[in-house]
Amino acid sequence: MKKSIGSYSRVRIEGGGRAVISQAGGRAAVETVRKSGLDTAISAALTPWRKARTVHDPGKILLDVALAVALGGDCLADAGMLRAEPAVFGPVASDPTVSRLIDTLAASGEKALRAIRAARAQARGRVWGLAGGEAPDAGGTVTVDLDGVLVIAHSDKEDAAPTWKRTYGHHPLMGFVDHGPGGTGEPVTALLRPGNAGSNTAADHLTATQLALAQLPKKYRRGHRTLIRTDSAGGTHDFVAWLARRGRWLSYSVGMTVTEQVHQHVLKVPASAWTAAVGTDGEIREGAWVAELTGDVQDGWPKGMRLIVRKERPHPGAQLWLTDADGMRLTCFATNTSGRPIAELELPHRLRARAEDRIRNARATGLRNHPLHRTAQNRIWLEIVQIALDLLAWMPTLALTGKARLREPRRLRLRLFTTAGQLVTTGRRRILRLARHWPWTRHITAALNRLALLPNPG
């Protein structure tokens, strides 16, 4: 009697299978496009770039590339995996047609970018309305996190330059709407910059914030209901003054550099002025305290600004800094939020670290590199990446529940989008049957059912 000693079963491979669909789970992303109205919005926005007697709509072409990026692609040619499944994704343009459109949009510069961004803002407003209590503004406020991203260039591309981390590439400045602990986040701005662009350039932060505000519903484009959070790169006089300018009145929570003046003020704070910091669970955080600095350390800053410093014992093995005081790690941030205890203000600022998760997801969704050579082309690519990230944020918001809403792009791809299916034609109907044995089939079918119940645009 012979026994198999291999770890895996032997399977004979043959080509020629029919009615088998790969990436069948990607239908959830397609339905998100349809229910959000992004397809009609972006098609209308790009109408000026549609030539007479053309077969493929420019909006559909751009969305196809974004869908390919959402499913794991990282270049224009990856739209080919959608082209192979017309039953799921419809007709997809050829690679030369895609490239020509990107070149055409890039040649139009800001006009094309404004059109794409306007379509995204329109769809975003609809998605937030459909999401109801699950929308990022359900509490009546919106939080936007700004942070820089280093994108490595492995060839000599336009505007690629040495970065502050001694790498070579670009240094875009991105902004994300924070969904809080019950979701992920969605991009609202991506400002392409050379690799040697400064981290604390106020003009770039102003531009990025303006682009981010334009993506929000009108009621959040000014006023204290919108909170702008940054690390110490945003702690400049010009940027903070712009946020607090009369008529704009945006809330802010920006990191500040611990200067020698701040350091000396911290040493003078009496022990009774320190308040225990709190954790995300609302309990006191051991070994961490916060205090508010006043006096001449605020000279030159806008009226109403509060300067809050935090001290905490460094983790074992952490490298000590010159700004540490009495063995305590010091961090500092400024805010104009009043009427709340400083411990309650320090915790939301610390949660700005979630922006690092958004950047990691962006790197896994087309931002690992800029695949095109010219800067104008890569600006269009950044818009494509943002559309892909929008879909990866909107689909869980509208269709998933529980822990499934927190899944990051890589897990969504492995468990949902890559699900195989079988296309069955009965009468005049086409039915896509997903693999019964796949453990996450019920999540996909439940998501598609929830999307189907949403009202259609228009």
Side-chain angles (χ1 to χ4, degrees), residues 54-374:
T54 54
V55 176
H56 296 281
D57 179 74
K60 174 68 162 57
I61 295 174
L62 203 72
L63 278 177
D64 284 339
V65 179
L67 280 168
V69 173
L71 297 179
D74 63 358
C75 65
L76 300 179
D78 284 336
M81 66 178 178
L82 274 62
R83 192 180 305 116
E85 301 294 357
V88 178
F89 303 104
V92 177
S94 65
D95 290 346
T97 301
V98 173
S99 296
R100 284 195 296 269
L101 175 64
I102 300 301
D103 288 341
T104 301
L105 295 177
S108 298
E110 287 298 323
K111 182 180 178 181
L113 293 175
R114 284 194 297 268
I116 297 171
R117 290 164 182 165
R120 290 178 53 222
Q122 180 180 338
R124 191 181 318 281
R126 174 171 170 79
V127 169
W128 288 15
L130 292 174
E134 303 296 334
D137 67 334
T141 61
V142 173
T143 299
V144 177
D145 293 316
L146 300 180
D147 207 347
V149 186
L150 292 182
V151 180
I152 306 301
H154 298 284
S155 60
D156 192 13
K157 298 177 181 179
E158 187 177 6
D159 284 336
T163 71
W164 61 276
K165 279 197 172 183
R166 299 182 181 180
T167 56
Y168 184 79
H170 298 86
H171 188 193
L173 182 61
M174 298 195 68
F176 300 88
V177 170
D178 184 23
H179 282 205
T184 56
E186 54 191 271
V188 285
T189 182
L191 183 64
L192 185 58
R193 305 187 300 170
N196 56 2
S199 297
N200 57 348
T201 304
D204 291 344
H205 279 79
L206 293 179
T207 302
T209 304
Q210 290 171 333
L211 294 175
L213 294 174
Q215 285 293 309
L216 304 180
K218 288 186 178 180
K219 61 182 178 180
Y220 295 115
R221 295 179 185 176
R222 64 179 62 203
H224 287 303
R225 289 185 295 178
T226 301
L227 173 66
I228 306 296
R229 290 191 306 202
T230 73
D231 57 10
S232 59
T236 60
H237 287 78
D238 290 343
F239 183 55
V240 174
W242 184 86
L243 293 173
R245 185 173 299 170
R246 181 179 176 84
R248 189 169 290 113
W249 293 310
L250 294 168
S251 296
Y252 60 83
S253 182
V254 300
M256 304 291 283
T257 303
V258 181
T259 62
E260 179 62 25
Q261 184 185 24
V262 171
H263 190 270
Q264 294 300 321
H265 272 72
V266 170
L267 296 179
K268 298 175 183 177
V269 175
S272 59
W274 290 98
T275 302
V278 296
T280 54
D281 55 0
E283 300 295 329
I284 292 178
R285 184 178 176 91
E286 295 293 335
W289 299 267
V290 292
E292 185 169 358
L293 302 182
T294 58
D296 60 356
V297 72
Q298 293 181 309
D299 291 349
W301 294 96
K303 183 180 179 180
M305 188 189 84
R306 304 175 68 182
L307 195 60
I308 299 173
V309 65
R310 169 192 175 91
K311 67 177 182 179
E312 184 176 16
R313 296 190 186 97
H315 297 293
Q319 184 178 2
L320 298 180
W321 297 349
L322 292 175
T323 54
D324 292 346
D326 297 329
M328 295 287 185
R329 176 63 42 81
L330 298 180
T331 54
C332 187
F333 73 98
T335 181
N336 61 345
T337 303
S338 60
R340 294 175 59 186
I342 56 176
E344 293 183 12
L345 295 175
E346 190 272 337
L347 176 60
H349 180 77
R350 190 156 23 100
L351 293 178
R352 194 208 63 83
R354 284 199 285 246
E356 299 298 331
D357 296 331
R358 315 296 171 244
I359 291 173
R360 185 182 69 253
N361 293 337
R363 293 184 189 278
T365 312
L367 202 62
R368 181 179 59 85
N369 69 334
H370 293 313
L372 306 172
H373 177 73
R374 293 189 292 114

Side-chain angles (χ1 to χ4, degrees), residues 387-411:
I387 294 173
L389 290 169
D390 280 336
L391 296 177
L392 292 174
W394 294 347
M395 192 276 288
T397 299
L398 296 177
L400 298 180
T401 59
K403 293 183 178 179
R405 280 197 63 202
L406 302 177
R407 288 175 180 163
E408 295 187 349
R410 287 176 177 173
R411 183 160 293 184

